[in-house]
Amino acid sequence: MNNLQNHTSEKYRFTALDIFRGMTICFMIIVNTPGNEETTFGFLKHADWHGFTPTDLVFPSFLFAVGNALSFANKRWESLSTKTVMLKIAKRTCLIFLVGYLMYWFPFFSLNSDSHIVLSPISHTRIMGVLQRIALCYSIVALLVYSLNREKILATGIGALVFYWMILVWFGSPGLEYTKTGNAVLSFDSLIFGVNHLYTGEGFPFDPEGILSTLPALFNVICGYLAGSYIQRKGNNHQTLTEFVFVGLGLLIIAYAWNHILPINKKLWTSSYAVLTVGLDFILLAAIIYWTDFLKIKQGRHFFQVFGKNPLAIYVLSEIGVTLMWLIPIGDTPLYSLIYNNIFAHAGGYIGSLLFALWWMFSCWLVAYWLDRKKIYIKL
């Protein structure tokens, strides 16, 4: 009987994890591919600087899911030698980081004013990014999980939040510690990488997924691990759901209290922002468990599970596909703009932009569905 319960519980937990992960990929694609950036609903944009929108929950939720998955991987590592585990962690870290780097470098060339192909120089390629942050957070927390007990892991996560806050205060420009140009993140990443290797989407070189701001993001992964570990020890019962909700609410209170002295800011990934997003993820995970296990509602499960079974591969596909649509010219117009202007723009600026994003998300879902039907699961 215990073996059957354990098997059923493990199967369920992976289902909940797939749904949680699938939701993050689904919304990540939607917010990353609006038909028209200028006519995008505010809730589908990141906060300009301080503040919080629903979009700001997407990436930290994926990191939370990475930690959740680590709670299962840790059990598989128990039967392996230390050398084997270290090699597995190193291999996965390097693979995810390299894919992320190549994705930003892709298509590796551009056209000059004479329409001649010119190779894109490595000297101006962005080094950090979404996958790169996932890789670094995964590797560091995986090593913590393998080496420390849960109490020490949590203490490390809290320590990372406090230490990062101190760095922002100590090394930011006096009185400008949390501004766009006076923060320590910009100074540190510029020193390490040089401005030519930073993201320029803010209108100036600044990377929201840089090295220094990866430090507080460890807390998101650590809490995801602790949540998954707790479910495995305590089970999917009402007590677990209640405690997840209360932990989530407690973290929200802490985050908004902290916000008065350390603004909630996704692009700086401030410690208050990390606490806020973890609190929301605890509540969201509790809601998913309640929906799938207690209410026994099956509608909508499969849609998100499909995304959740190949999350990183589908994310990479969505980004490369968008890049290709911008590169393929139809006359003088990129394919991306042609599709939007001739199909979706007729629904109006804001609705059309959203419909385009939904179309691209469903297109990626069809690929994920085909992969699932063929039992092809691409593990990065």
Side-chain angles (χ1 to χ4, degrees):
M1 182 66 175
N2 287 336
N3 290 336
L4 178 61
Q5 287 177 336
N6 290 338
H7 174 75
T8 303
S9 181
E10 177 126 330
K11 181 179 179 182
Y12 163 73
R13 287 194 301 268
F14 275 108
T15 298
L17 175 59
D18 282 341
I19 292 173
F20 185 89
R21 237 180 351 207
M23 284 181 172
T24 66
I25 294 299
C26 174
F27 291 110
M28 191 177 286
I29 295 172
I30 291 173
V31 301
N32 284 350
T33 54
N36 184 1
E37 190 74 40
E38 295 179 359
T39 55
T40 299
F41 289 109
F43 65 88
L44 293 176
K45 291 183 177 182
H46 292 292
D48 180 59
W49 194 244
H50 297 325
F52 184 81
T53 74
T55 297
D56 293 325
L57 181 62
V58 176
F59 187 23
S61 295
F62 195 88
L63 291 178
F64 189 87
V66 169
N68 203 313
L70 271 172
S71 67
F72 296 97
N74 187 41
K75 289 188 173 296
R76 295 194 294 271
W77 293 342
E78 292 175 357
S79 60
L80 302 176
S81 67
T82 298
K83 180 180 178 181
T84 301
V85 173
M86 293 300 107
L87 286 174
K88 281 181 173 290
I89 293 172
K91 179 181 177 181
R92 187 161 192 240
T93 299
C94 292
L95 179 60
I96 296 174
F97 195 99
L98 180 61
V99 170
Y101 178 77
L102 293 176
M103 186 175 73
Y104 289 131
W105 194 12
F106 181 82
F108 317 116
F109 68 88
S110 59
L111 299 178
N112 62 18
S113 58
D114 298 321
S115 297
H116 294 153
I117 293 177
V118 178
L119 292 178
S120 300
I122 295 179
S123 61
H124 285 71
T125 303
R126 182 185 179 190
I127 293 178
M128 293 299 292
V130 170
L131 290 180
Q132 293 92 316
R133 171 158 291 179
I134 291 173
L136 293 180
C137 286
Y138 163 79
S139 63
I140 295 171
V141 177
L143 292 174
L144 292 175
V145 166
Y146 188 71
S147 306
L148 304 176
N149 60 35
R150 288 185 295 272
E151 290 74 18
K152 290 181 179 178
I153 294 171
L154 177 58
T156 301
I158 296 172
L161 295 180
V162 175
F163 182 56
Y164 179 65
W165 182 26
M166 295 299 98
I167 290 176
L168 291 179
V169 173
W170 292 337
F171 296 100
S173 300
L176 303 172
E177 295 89 349
Y178 309 129
T179 62
K180 289 186 177 183
T181 57
N183 64 82
V185 173
L186 176 60
S187 301
F188 185 87
D189 289 340
S190 298
L191 178 64
I192 297 297
F193 299 123
V195 295
N196 291 333
H197 290 294
L198 301 182
Y199 178 67
T200 57
E202 300 298 322
F204 63 96
F206 173 83
D207 207 317
E209 283 88 37
I211 284 286
L212 185 58
S213 57
T214 297
L215 190 61
L218 296 175
F219 185 72
N220 295 84
V221 183
I222 286 171
C223 288
Y225 163 75
L226 293 174
S229 179
Y230 187 85
I231 292 174
Q232 291 179 62
R233 288 183 289 113
K234 300 296 185 179
N236 308 313
N237 50 51
H238 285 95
Q239 180 183 350
T240 297
L241 296 188
T242 301
E243 290 182 359
F244 274 19
V245 171
F246 275 106
V247 167
L249 291 174
L251 290 172
L252 295 185
I253 293 172
I254 293 172
Y256 279 109
W258 206 350
N259 177 57
H260 291 291
I261 50 177
L262 177 62
I264 291 170
N265 186 308
K266 187 266 179 190
K267 292 173 182 178
L268 287 177
W269 210 287
T270 53
S271 303
S272 55
Y273 166 76
V275 172
L276 172 69
T277 53
V278 167
L280 291 172
D281 282 333
F282 265 106
I283 295 172
L284 178 59
L285 182 58
I288 292 173
I289 294 172
Y290 185 71
W291 167 40
T292 56
D293 197 55
F294 289 85
L295 296 182
K296 307 293 184 183
I297 297 175
K298 296 185 179 297
Q299 291 84 355
R301 282 192 194 186
H302 185 62
F303 181 85
F304 294 114
Q305 282 180 278
V306 165
F307 269 132
K309 291 178 180 179
N310 275 296
L312 292 180
I314 295 302
Y315 169 72
V316 172
L317 168 71
S318 71
E319 292 292 300
I320 291 178
V322 167
T323 300
L324 289 173
M325 283 194 288
W326 278 111
L327 287 173
I328 298 173
I330 306 297
D332 296 327
T333 306
L335 178 60
Y336 191 102
S337 299
L338 189 76
I339 293 173
Y340 172 72
N341 292 331
N342 287 279
I343 300 175
F344 299 101
H346 297 294
Y350 287 91
I351 298 298
S353 182
L354 175 59
L355 290 176
F356 180 96
L358 291 172
W359 163 75
W360 184 239
M361 181 271 293
F362 279 116
S363 298
C364 294
W365 183 88
L366 289 174
V367 176
Y369 177 74
W370 180 83
L371 290 173
D372 186 40
R373 288 292 300 271
K374 296 294 183 180
K375 306 298 181 185
I376 300 173
Y377 303 112
I378 304 170
K379 302 297 183 183
L380 295 181

